[in-house]
């Protein structure tokens, strides 16, 4: 029984929610002045809300018929009738809001057509001086655009010249780097050759000193120890 009461309360809350949604949408329709697509969208939403409301009222009525106590059943059936009357009232308000909105949209469209006609009339009444001024303005705008394009072309030429100069500078720097690299390599070869020559000279000097010492030792030996 408690579970049934919970379902009843939930269903009734959903009915009230859809009822409030419909009332808000009807108010939006009543205040809608266009365009027609907006009015169509609002009506689509109203139809969805009415469909959901009708389903929930049917569920509520089914719950009322399933009540064990007759008094509870009658009380819920009375609420069902009240919800249906409210739904009918909303449908009537919906139709009235649509009539008012369509009338407003029609008036807005007529006014737009009239305004467009007035603009066309004023345009046809434009004087020759006005046409001449317009032509002059257009010519001035074209000349301004032409000058702007000429400036852009000149800037592009200056940029290309700057790029060419930078390219030459980079090429010259690269050539200098290549020359310096060759010089460094040549210096490295000379240093290597000098190091080798220095090593050879040291070896020759060492051999000469060794030969000299051997000779001195030999002479001393013959003088000091002739019997050996």
């Amino acid at each position: 029984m408690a579970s049934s009461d919970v379902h009843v309360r939930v269903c009734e809350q959903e009915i009230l929610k859809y009822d409030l949604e419909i009332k808000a949408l009807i108010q939006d329709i009543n205040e809608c002045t266009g365009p027609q697509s907006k009015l169509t969208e609002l009506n689509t939403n109203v139809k969805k809300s009415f469909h959901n409301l009708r389903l929930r009222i049917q569920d509520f009525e089914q719950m009322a018929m399933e009540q064990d106590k007759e008094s509870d059943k009658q009380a819920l059936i009375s609420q069902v009738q009240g919800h249906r009357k409210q739904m009918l009232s909303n449908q009537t308000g919906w139709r009235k809001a649509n009539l008012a909105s369509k009338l407003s949209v029609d008036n807005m469209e007529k006014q737009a057509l009239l305004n467009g006609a007035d603009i066309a009339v004023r345009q046809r009444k434009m004087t020759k001086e006005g046409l001449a001024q317009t032509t002059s303005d257009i010519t001035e705008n074209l000349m301004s655009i032409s000058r702007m394009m000429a400036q852009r072309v000149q800037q592009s030429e200056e940029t290309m010249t700057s790029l060419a100069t930078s390219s030459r500078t980079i090429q010259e720097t690269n050539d200098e780097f290549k020359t310096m690299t060759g010089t460094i390599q040549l210096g490295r070869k000379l240093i290597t050759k000098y190091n080798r020559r220095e090593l050879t000279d040291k070896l020759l000097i060492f051999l000469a000193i060794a030969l000299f010492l051997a000779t001195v030792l030999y002479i001393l030996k013959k003088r000091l120890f002739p019997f050996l």
Side-chain angles (χ1 to χ4, degrees), residues 188-200:
R188 183 182 299 168
K189 290 179 181 179
L190 291 174
I191 291 171
T192 303
K193 185 177 181 181
Y194 174 76
N195 289 333
R196 290 177 181 174
R197 182 65 177 272
E198 184 179 7
L199 179 61
T200 302

Side-chain angles (χ1 to χ4, degrees), residues 140-195:
E140 181 64 27
N141 289 334
L142 290 175
M143 291 178 65
S144 177
I145 293 172
S146 178
R147 288 193 296 270
M148 185 181 298
M149 292 179 66
Q151 292 176 357
R152 293 299 176 88
V153 171
Q154 184 178 358
Q155 291 176 357
S156 298
E157 291 177 353
E158 293 175 354
T159 302
M160 292 298 295
T161 302
S162 177
L163 289 174
T165 303
S166 300
S167 179
R168 285 196 299 272
T169 303
I170 293 172
Q171 184 62 38
E172 292 173 357
T173 304
N174 189 30
D175 293 340
E176 292 178 359
F177 283 156
K178 288 181 180 178
T179 303
M180 291 176 64
T181 302
T183 303
I184 291 171
Q185 290 177 351
L186 179 59
R188 183 182 299 168
K189 290 179 181 179
L190 291 174
I191 291 171
T192 303
K193 185 177 181 181
Y194 174 76
N195 289 333

Side-chain angles (χ1 to χ4, degrees), residues 8 66 85 106 114 125 158 164 193 207 220:
V8 169
E66 293 174 353
K85 287 181 181 180
D106 290 342
L114 291 174
K125 290 182 179 179
E158 293 175 354
K193 185 177 181 181
L207 291 175
L220 290 174

Side-chain angles (χ1 to χ4, degrees), residues 37-213:
S37 58
K38 178 65 176 178
L39 181 60
T40 301
E41 181 183 356
L42 290 171
N43 279 309
T44 300
N45 293 333
V46 171
K47 290 178 182 178
K48 291 180 180 178
S49 295
F50 267 121
H51 175 73
N52 293 330
L53 177 61
R54 192 174 295 106
L55 291 178
R56 298 313 292 159
I57 291 176
Q58 291 176 357
D59 293 339
F60 195 79
E61 184 178 18
Q62 181 64 31
M63 293 178 187
M65 300 304 296
E66 293 174 353
Q67 294 297 312
D68 296 331
K69 292 182 180 181
E70 186 65 24
S71 58
D72 293 340
K73 180 187 297 185
Q74 293 301 322
L76 293 179
I77 290 175
S78 177
Q79 292 183 26
V80 169
Q81 293 174 351
H83 291 316
R84 283 181 173 162
K85 287 181 181 180
Q86 185 62 46
M87 184 174 66
L88 292 174
S89 176
N90 288 336
Q91 289 175 340
T92 302
W94 179 30
R95 285 192 293 270
K96 291 181 179 179
N98 263 298
L99 290 175
S101 180
K102 288 180 180 179
L103 181 61
S104 178
V105 170
D106 290 342
N107 289 334
M108 292 290 291
E109 291 178 351
K110 289 178 182 179
Q111 187 63 37
L113 291 174
L114 291 174
N115 291 337
D118 291 341
I119 292 173
V121 171
R122 285 196 298 270
Q123 290 177 345
R124 284 195 296 269
K125 290 182 179 179
M126 184 181 295
T127 60
K128 292 181 179 180
E129 290 80 4
L131 290 173
Q133 182 63 39
T134 302
T135 303
S136 177
D137 293 340
I138 293 174
T139 303
E140 181 64 27
N141 289 334
L142 290 175
M143 291 178 65
S144 177
I145 293 172
S146 178
R147 288 193 296 270
M148 185 181 298
M149 292 179 66
Q151 292 176 357
R152 293 299 176 88
V153 171
Q154 184 178 358
Q155 291 176 357
S156 298
E157 291 177 353
E158 293 175 354
T159 302
M160 292 298 295
T161 302
S162 177
L163 289 174
T165 303
S166 300
S167 179
R168 285 196 299 272
T169 303
I170 293 172
Q171 184 62 38
E172 292 173 357
T173 304
N174 189 30
D175 293 340
E176 292 178 359
F177 283 156
K178 288 181 180 178
T179 303
M180 291 176 64
T181 302
T183 303
I184 291 171
Q185 290 177 351
L186 179 59
R188 183 182 299 168
K189 290 179 181 179
L190 291 174
I191 291 171
T192 303
K193 185 177 181 181
Y194 174 76
N195 289 333
R196 290 177 181 174
R197 182 65 177 272
E198 184 179 7
L199 179 61
T200 302
D201 292 342
K202 288 180 179 180
L203 182 59
L204 291 174
I205 291 170
F206 175 77
L207 291 175
I209 292 172
L211 180 61
F212 174 76
L213 292 175

